[in-house]
Amino acid sequence: MATASGPLAGITVVALEQAVSAPFCTRTLGDFGARVIKVENPDGGDFARHYDDVVHGLGAHFVWLGRGKESVALDLKSEAGLAVLHRLLDRADVLVSNLTPGATAKLGIAPADLEVRHPGLIPVEIDGYGPGGPLSHKRAYDLLVQAESGVCAVTGRPGQPAKPGPPVADVSSGLYAALSVVALLYATGRGQPAASVAVSLFDTMTEMMGYPLTYTRYAGIDQQPLGMSSPAVAPYGAYGTADGQTVVLGTTNDREWDRLARDLLGRPDLADDDRFRSNAGRVGHRAVLDTEIAAWCARHDLAYVQDRADAAGIGNARYNTPSEVVAHPHLAARDRWREIDTPNGPVSALLPPAVISGYDPPMGAIPALGQHTDAVLAELGLSEGEIAALRERGAVR
């Protein structure tokens, strides 16, 4: 399966994408060896290019998600630009889009249209709420969907809801879309006809909310957010240490709790207390346990707490800021950083999470807007004169 050219080598993905969800999907496919041709509006391209300019003048979101893609600038509102897109799709295996609701239908490239004109193509549409509901027409951004799906209500503190920092709705939807593409490529390889994929951010986040929604449906209770803790288990949370650091300690079963109480805290009385013998009891008396654990951690430095926790077999971590993670020794020791090219010079990027034996991810360059337009159009058979004519008409850049 793993070859020098990647498990998805030979697969061509055309992307009509903005921001995070679809770009995350296509970058994931590219990490596995697929060729990704990113079709961008000549007037500025993917707007994530311009969210900020902190990476040598480039947007951090775009640098994160844009590597290894070829940028072709087409005006899809022009007949000539749309005709070029169809020539691309003639040679493509997958089309991934996350345009506004109804945009692909207006362009004549909705899944039903593509089934007729490009019957072997796998169309993937990522949207906010999916068709057939009262919210289907709405624009949907990561924060909006997190609020609508209840994610913000289980994040933060009571009366102080919060959005999880990473764009989890976008990223999770992109991963579901990429997984669906791989499944359908496998199916078509076994002779099944191509099918389309639809992933909505709202459906993804209600799936991610599986535990709190199930709990609330059957308990009739809206669990309150607990910051760096969990309503499901206890003890489980963050505690300050004597040297001004923060340690995170967690237990997931009764045996771990017993070791935490006896071997870490040196408190057999807590282990033998009937109030704490079951997880339900510990959850019900969370405040008591947190007070005891916090008092013990406050007397010791972080290194001592973590060494003792490791010896006792208790899960633990150090609370880190992003700047501390950038310099994290675990990333350095495992050689997780790579240098990639951009139009404005080399930058550092993390390897993708999946480690496949015998395969090094391509870690290609970040493209300038329209950088590959001429090369890709020439590959489609257009002459220099034809490309120049398209440029004069504003159909390509």
Side-chain angles (χ1 to χ4, degrees), residues 23-372:
F24 197 94
C25 170
T26 58
R27 201 211 71 183
T28 299
L29 297 173
D31 287 339
F32 290 124
R35 179 186 186 186
V36 179
I37 300 174
K38 183 182 180 79
V39 176
E40 300 189 70
N41 185 334
D43 185 17
D46 184 340
F47 47 69
R49 286 181 176 272
H50 316 292
Y51 279 163
D52 54 60
D53 59 1
V54 299
V55 188
H56 304 332
L58 303 172
H61 275 88
F62 191 79
V63 170
W64 168 40
L65 299 171
R67 68 166 183 254
K69 300 178 183 181
E70 300 169 52
S71 175
V72 175
L74 298 179
D75 180 5
L76 298 184
K77 294 181 180 179
S78 71
E79 290 186 11
L82 194 57
V84 172
L85 174 65
H86 281 291
R87 293 180 70 162
L88 274 174
L89 297 181
D90 284 337
R91 300 184 175 207
D93 301 283
V94 181
L95 171 65
V96 178
S97 66
N98 66 332
L99 306 180
T100 56
T104 56
K106 290 179 181 178
L107 291 170
I109 54 171
D113 303 311
L114 296 172
E115 185 178 2
V116 175
R117 187 160 181 176
H118 307 282
L121 188 72
I122 297 172
V124 181
E125 290 200 351
I126 304 173
D127 67 7
Y129 296 101
L135 302 182
S136 298
H137 66 287
K138 295 177 71 69
R139 287 180 178 267
Y141 307 134
D142 185 85
L143 168 62
L144 307 180
V145 172
Q146 289 197 41
E148 193 75 43
S149 62
V151 173
C152 295
V154 298
T155 310
R157 292 283 185 182
Q160 298 176 316
K163 171 196 173 297
V168 293
D170 283 330
V171 169
S172 300
S173 298
L175 287 175
Y176 268 109
L179 176 61
S180 300
V181 168
V182 172
L184 289 181
L185 288 171
Y186 176 75
T188 56
R190 301 176 68 191
Q192 298 182 27
S196 62
V197 179
V199 177
S200 83
L201 275 65
F202 185 73
D203 290 346
T204 298
M205 293 320 295
T206 50
E207 166 65 16
M208 295 291 130
M209 285 285 289
Y211 163 70
L213 295 181
T214 302
Y215 186 96
T216 296
R217 174 179 283 273
Y218 292 99
I221 297 171
D222 284 326
Q223 292 177 311
Q224 295 301 298
L226 296 171
M228 289 184 62
S229 186
S230 167
V233 292
Y236 196 92
Y239 309 93
T241 60
D243 53 347
Q245 303 293 318
T246 300
V247 67
V248 181
L249 300 173
T251 61
T252 58
N253 57 60
D254 295 340
R255 294 185 302 279
E256 289 182 355
W257 155 245
D258 191 77
R259 294 199 303 271
L260 186 148
R262 297 181 191 277
D263 302 337
L264 181 61
L265 302 182
R267 294 288 303 275
D269 59 307
L270 294 177
D272 294 335
D273 193 315
D274 287 340
R275 292 177 297 172
F276 310 136
R277 289 189 182 277
S278 70
N279 182 64
R282 293 192 295 276
V283 168
H285 297 88
R286 181 191 307 276
V288 177
L289 292 179
D290 280 345
T291 298
E292 296 288 351
I293 297 170
W296 183 85
C297 289
R299 296 195 296 269
H300 304 288
D301 287 351
L302 174 71
Y304 177 84
V305 174
Q306 291 199 276
D307 287 345
R308 284 284 300 269
D310 286 340
I314 300 301
N316 64 91
R318 178 181 188 265
Y319 166 81
N320 287 314
T321 63
S323 59
E324 289 167 330
V325 177
V326 166
H328 204 297
H330 196 71
L331 293 174
R334 298 175 62 240
D335 194 25
R336 295 293 297 166
W337 290 101
R338 292 291 183 274
E339 186 176 274
I340 63 174
D341 291 328
T342 79
N344 298 343
V347 300
S348 295
L350 283 169
L351 286 165
V355 179
I356 301 176
S357 60
Y359 173 64
D360 292 325
M363 303 298 288
I366 305 298
L369 175 59
Q371 177 179 340
H372 304 90

